[in-house]
Amino acid sequence: MTNNDILNIAIKQSAIDSNCHMDDFKSFENKVVISGDNKNARKYLELPFLCDLTSYGNNIVASVSEELSTIVTEYINKYPVEHCFETPNLHVLIEKLKPFNMNVCFMAEYFLPDMTVIKPIECDYETKILEAADFKDLYLPEWSNALCEKRKHLDILAVGAYDKGKLIGLAGCSADCDSMWQIGIDVLPAYRKQGIASCLTNKLAFEVLARNIIPFYCCAWSNIKSARNAIKSGFKPAWVQVTVRTNDFIFDINR
């Protein structure tokens, strides 16, 4: 697959998630659509959205509830695309959300494999490909980024690194939708900064691509370590999202 093939698959999935058309993300004009549920959306999304802003760089597609349509339309058309995803401009949206008992919750950057630069990466430790049966007992705090306890049935594949038989790093992927699997990575603290994370992320990406599925990687844009790992592993930034949730939801997370 080429980078263009991969990008179009990702945009097609974003259109499913956002309840819009693929061309909406390729336009240079912003688009506001009413969010809706879709059985083919990424499994971890809770649809319909209250407000979700997605950008592949050219514009913003806002997938929103009816009640937020007007204020979100005004907001995304008031500032440049990139400024709508950052402070101080984001505070304008936050103020408008207060009467609805809502706030900005998730702010994430997503990465896709760059087929022009990605190449196999090795590390100094033994690595193994793991199927679901192999990691069924690994739902532990130290592997909580690689595997998801709440969605075990989606965890499809993993790659582990071992030091004399001891698991020291784990990259796992979840089948979040039919065409794209998300990669997460954990390395034990004593073994970090040795290239293990990039090796495992990279190996898992190749395993996913071999199955004609697109691997994708996500992190908060403040998570420099994770973003560096994505790039070192052969990924490049593709899109960003800001998602609004209720204050009660945010309170439960912080508690």
Side-chain angles (χ1 to χ4, degrees):
M1 286 182 283
T2 66
N3 280 348
N4 193 57
D5 294 332
I6 289 172
L7 181 62
N8 278 320
I9 290 170
I11 290 175
K12 181 179 180 180
Q13 186 59 49
S14 289
I16 292 171
D17 300 339
S18 295
N19 197 33
C20 66
H21 301 288
M22 286 183 63
D23 288 345
D24 291 336
F25 290 101
K26 299 179 180 181
S27 172
F28 286 90
E29 295 183 0
N30 293 329
K31 180 79 173 182
V32 177
V33 298
I34 302 304
S35 180
D37 200 3
N38 192 315
K39 64 182 178 62
N40 295 317
R42 283 176 286 162
K43 299 295 189 292
Y44 59 88
L45 297 177
E46 294 188 19
L47 298 176
F49 289 124
L50 298 173
C51 170
D52 180 87
L53 309 181
T54 300
S55 178
Y56 280 80
N58 293 333
N59 70 340
I60 297 172
V61 173
S63 186
V64 302
S65 61
E66 292 274 6
E67 64 180 348
L68 296 183
S69 178
T70 299
I71 66 170
V72 173
T73 300
E74 292 174 353
Y75 174 70
I76 65 173
N77 289 323
K78 186 175 183 179
Y79 304 107
V81 170
E82 62 275 14
H83 291 181
C84 287
F85 291 84
E86 61 183 23
T87 56
N89 299 137
L90 202 54
H91 286 293
V92 173
L93 177 61
I94 290 170
E95 285 298 314
K96 294 287 187 179
L97 292 171
K98 286 183 177 179
F100 299 92
N101 194 35
M102 301 173 193
N103 208 335
V104 170
C105 183
F106 300 117
M107 302 170 67
E109 183 173 14
Y110 291 81
F111 299 78
L112 293 171
D114 185 346
M115 302 306 289
T116 65
V117 303
I118 191 170
K119 59 183 179 181
I121 298 174
E122 300 296 335
C123 65
D124 294 332
Y125 298 93
E126 177 191 9
T127 61
K128 295 180 183 178
I129 307 299
L130 306 175
E131 304 287 345
D134 301 318
F135 54 74
K136 62 182 176 62
D137 296 324
L138 295 180
Y139 287 88
L140 304 168
E142 57 264 42
W143 313 122
S144 60
N145 289 311
L147 303 174
C148 181
E149 176 76 32
K150 292 181 179 179
R151 296 186 296 274
K152 289 183 178 181
H153 63 288
L154 297 179
D155 291 335
I156 297 294
L157 197 64
V159 181
Y162 297 83
D163 182 9
K164 298 176 183 178
K166 174 186 176 182
L167 183 64
I168 59 171
L170 185 68
C173 62
S174 57
D176 290 335
C177 55
D178 291 341
S179 60
M180 300 175 70
W181 293 356
Q182 182 172 191
I183 292 179
I185 177 71
D186 288 293
V187 176
L188 296 181
Y191 290 88
R192 293 173 185 169
K193 296 186 179 297
Q194 298 183 48
I196 298 170
S198 58
C199 170
L200 297 180
T201 303
N202 173 270
K203 285 183 179 296
L204 187 53
F206 275 109
E207 289 293 327
V208 174
L209 286 167
R211 290 161 172 77
N212 290 318
I213 303 292
I214 305 303
F216 72 101
Y217 187 103
C218 172
C219 70
W221 44 65
S222 58
N223 192 340
I224 299 299
K225 292 185 295 184
S226 189
R228 284 175 179 164
N229 178 60
I231 293 169
K232 186 177 179 180
S233 303
F235 287 72
K236 65 177 181 178
W239 78 95
V240 292
Q241 281 183 256
V242 161
T243 306
V244 168
R245 300 299 297 265
T246 65
N247 287 330
D248 290 340
F249 177 89
I250 296 171
F251 176 80
D252 285 341
I253 290 178
N254 289 329
R255 183 173 56 183

